[in-house]
C-alpha cells in the first residue's frame, strides 16, 4: 500500500529531479515558491498522475505581518486547476509574531478560517480539491462542524490537521488520537485526512492518514545526514566529530550504508562532500517508505477508515 507523502520546501534542482524521477508528490507555497511550482505544473502536463499540493502560505504571510490576497490566490488555483491535486484554504492565524494572541483572538480564529474556506469554496472550480484545516488548540466543535456539514449535497471529502510543527511527539500523538476519535464518531468517518508538517514516519504509520507533507528531508540533508536502515547517519566530512557519524560505525555497517547509498545512483564519497548527493539519497529513501507504507495502527484503529 502506498502513501501520499508530499515533499515540501525548496532545495536543489537535483533534488527536484530525483523527486520527478520517482514520481513523488510535491507541495509548494503559492506565496513564496511559484517559480518552482511552475516547473512542477509543467511536469504534471507531461506526466499525468503526478500529485501536486499548493499551500496558501498563510503562516509565512502572518510571520511577515502581511495578508494573503485571497481573490488572487483563487484566480491562481483556477488557472492551474487541471494540474493541481489539492490546495489549502487560507488559515486565519491569531495574534502577531511579536505577541501572544488573546483568548478572544484564539476563539475567533477557527471561525474566520471557516469563513475563508466557505468563501473560497464558492469560487474555486474544483471544490473537492480545497482542504479546510483544523489546528491543534482549537475547540473540537470546529472539527465536528467540518465533518458533519453537508455542502452541495455531500460531506467534505478531504480535510487537514495542522499546527503541530515543533511540538513534542507525545503532544502530537495525544491530539491525533483525539482527532481520529472525533472523526470515527462523526457522520463522515471515511473522510480523507492530510497531516500538515508531519515528520514522524512512525506517527504516520500509527493513524489512518491519507497523506502528509514534510520538510525534514531538507534539514536532514543540510545537517550532513542521510536516512539509513540504521537510523539517521551523519556522513559529511566536516562533521566527523558527531556521535552518529558513519566513521563511528563498524566496518560492516559502513559497508551496508555504502551499498544502500549506491542503489540511488550516487556514491558515499559524493554524499560526504556534497549536500546535493545527500538530498538525492534522502528523497529516494523516504519515497521508498511511502511506496511500501504499512498502516500499523493500534487497538483503536483495527483497519483503515478509507
Amino acid at each position: 500500500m502506498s502513501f501520499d507523502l508530499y515533499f515540501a520546501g525548496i532545495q536543489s534542482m537535483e533534488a527536484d529531479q530525483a523527486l520527478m524521477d520517482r514520481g513523488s508528490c510535491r507541495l509548494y507555497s503559492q506565496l513564496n515558491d511559484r517559480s518552482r511550482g511552475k516547473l512542477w505544473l509543467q511536469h504534471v502536463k507531461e506526466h499525468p498522475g503526478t500529485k501536486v499540493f499548493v499551500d496558501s502560505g498563510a503562516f509565512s504571510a502572518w510571520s511577515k505581518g502581511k495578508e494573503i490576497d485571497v481573490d488572487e490566490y483563487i484566480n491562481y488555483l483556477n488557472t492551474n486547476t487541471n494540474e493541481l491535486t489539492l490546495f489549502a484554504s487560507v488559515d486565519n492565524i491569531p495574534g502577531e509574531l511579536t505577541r501572544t494572541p488573546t483568548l478572544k483572538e484564539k476563539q475567533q480564529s477557527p471561525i474566520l478560517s471557516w469563513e475563508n474556506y466557505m468563501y473560497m469554496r464558492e469560487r474555486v472550480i474544483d471544490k473537492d480539491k480545497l482542504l479546510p484545516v483544523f489546528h491543534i488548540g482549537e475547540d473540537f466543535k470546529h472539527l465536528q462542524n467540518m465533518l458533519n456539514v453537508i455542502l452541495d449535497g455531500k460531506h467534505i471529502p478531504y480535510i487537514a490537521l495542522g499546527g503541530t510543527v515543533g511540538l513534542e511527539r507525545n503532544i502530537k500523538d495525544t491530539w491525533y488520537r483525539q482527532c481520529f476519535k472525533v472523526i470515527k464518531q462523526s457522520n463522515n468517518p471515511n473522510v480523507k485526512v492530510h497531516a500538515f508538517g508531519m515528520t514522524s514516519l512512525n506517527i504516520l504509520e500509527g493513524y489512518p492518514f491519507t497523506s502528509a507533507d514534510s520538510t525534514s528531508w531538507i534539514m536532514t540533508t543540510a545537517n550532513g545526514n542521510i536516512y539509513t536502515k540504521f537510523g539517521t547517519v551523519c556522513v559529511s566530512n566536516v562533521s566527523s566529530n558527531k556521535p552518529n557519524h558513519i566513521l563511528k560505525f563498524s566496518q560492516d555497517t559502513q559497508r551496508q550504508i555504502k551499498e544502500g547509498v549506491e542503489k540511488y545512483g550516487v556514491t558515499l564519497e559524493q554524499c560526504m562532500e556534497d549536500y546535493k548527493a545527500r538530498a538525492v539519497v534522502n528523497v529516494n529513501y523516504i519515497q521508498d517508505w511511502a511506496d511500501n507504507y504499512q498502516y500499523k495502527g493500534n487497538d483503536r484503529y483495527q483497519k483503515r477508515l478509507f
Side-chain angles (χ1 to χ4, degrees):
M1 179 186 297
S2 62
F3 183 89
D4 288 343
L5 184 63
Y6 288 83
F7 288 78
I10 300 300
Q11 216 239 20
S12 66
M13 287 301 300
E14 285 82 356
D16 271 286
Q17 188 59 56
L19 289 168
M20 291 177 178
D21 290 343
R22 288 298 304 269
S24 300
C25 305
R26 193 70 162 99
L27 180 146
Y28 70 91
S29 168
Q30 66 89 23
L31 187 66
N32 303 315
D33 306 328
R34 287 196 186 186
S35 59
R36 191 61 62 94
K38 184 177 181 180
L39 173 71
W40 278 86
L41 295 175
Q42 182 60 39
H43 180 69
V44 174
K45 292 178 181 178
E46 298 170 358
H47 300 83
T50 301
K51 296 183 178 181
V52 175
F53 191 150
V54 176
D55 184 31
S56 70
F59 180 81
S60 179
W62 173 83
S63 66
K64 298 175 182 177
K66 299 180 179 180
E67 292 187 2
I68 292 175
D69 185 330
V70 179
D71 290 313
E72 194 281 331
Y73 178 36
I74 291 170
N75 181 63
Y76 177 78
L77 297 175
N78 285 339
T79 299
N80 300 291
T81 193
N82 291 334
E83 287 72 51
L84 299 177
T85 307
L86 300 170
F87 32 83
S89 178
V90 177
D91 297 333
N92 173 270
I93 302 175
E96 299 173 356
L97 186 63
T98 56
R99 66 173 176 84
T100 302
T102 65
L103 177 59
K104 183 178 180 179
E105 287 174 329
K106 289 181 179 179
Q107 293 174 337
Q108 189 71 8
S109 183
I111 298 174
L112 295 174
S113 291
W114 181 253
E115 290 177 354
N116 281 344
Y117 170 75
M118 292 299 292
Y119 180 87
M120 292 186 65
R121 183 181 172 87
E122 291 176 0
R123 292 161 176 79
V124 295
I125 295 172
D126 293 320
K127 303 182 189 308
D128 287 349
K129 294 180 179 181
L130 180 66
L131 273 61
V133 187
F134 177 66
H135 301 86
I136 191 168
E138 295 176 347
D139 193 307
F140 279 97
K141 68 181 181 182
H142 299 293
L143 175 59
Q144 292 170 335
N145 175 62
M146 282 184 194
L147 296 166
N148 294 324
V149 69
I150 300 294
L151 299 173
D152 302 316
K154 63 180 181 180
H155 292 293
I156 297 174
Y158 217 138
I159 66 171
L161 303 178
T164 64
V165 174
L167 298 180
E168 294 181 2
R169 174 174 172 167
N170 65 317
I171 295 176
K172 297 179 184 179
D173 196 52
T174 299
W175 185 64
Y176 287 136
R177 185 180 304 116
Q178 182 62 31
C179 286
F180 279 103
K181 180 179 179 181
V182 172
I183 290 169
K184 188 175 182 180
Q185 294 174 349
S186 75
N187 295 326
N188 190 11
N190 297 322
V191 67
K192 295 179 180 181
V193 183
H194 179 86
F196 268 119
M198 173 45 58
T199 61
S200 172
L201 302 186
N202 288 333
I203 287 181
L204 293 177
E205 290 173 346
Y207 294 92
F209 289 105
T210 306
S211 58
D213 66 270
S214 174
T215 59
S216 64
W217 63 281
I218 293 179
M219 289 305 300
T220 298
T221 297
N223 290 331
N225 302 326
I226 59 172
Y227 297 117
T228 78
K229 65 180 181 180
F230 302 100
T232 301
V233 175
C234 180
V235 297
S236 173
N237 283 331
V238 300
S239 303
S240 58
N241 60 325
K242 289 186 177 181
N244 68 325
H245 195 274
I246 189 170
L247 297 180
K248 304 290 190 350
F249 290 82
S250 69
Q251 290 295 318
D252 182 61
T253 299
Q254 291 184 42
R255 176 187 58 78
Q256 292 185 58
I257 293 173
K258 182 175 183 294
E259 292 174 351
V261 165
E262 290 175 346
K263 73 178 183 179
Y264 298 132
V266 296
T267 66
L268 181 58
E269 290 72 22
Q270 288 174 315
C271 291
M272 290 178 167
E273 299 173 357
D274 189 355
Y275 76 92
K276 295 177 182 178
R278 295 195 294 272
V280 170
V281 171
N282 290 333
V283 161
N284 278 282
Y285 186 91
I286 298 178
Q287 188 59 53
D288 281 348
W289 173 88
D291 288 345
N292 297 284
Y293 171 83
Q294 292 184 342
Y295 171 65
K296 297 177 180 178
N298 50 42
D299 293 338
R300 283 179 284 274
Y301 309 106
Q302 296 185 17
K303 64 179 181 179
R304 296 199 70 163
L305 299 181
F306 46 82

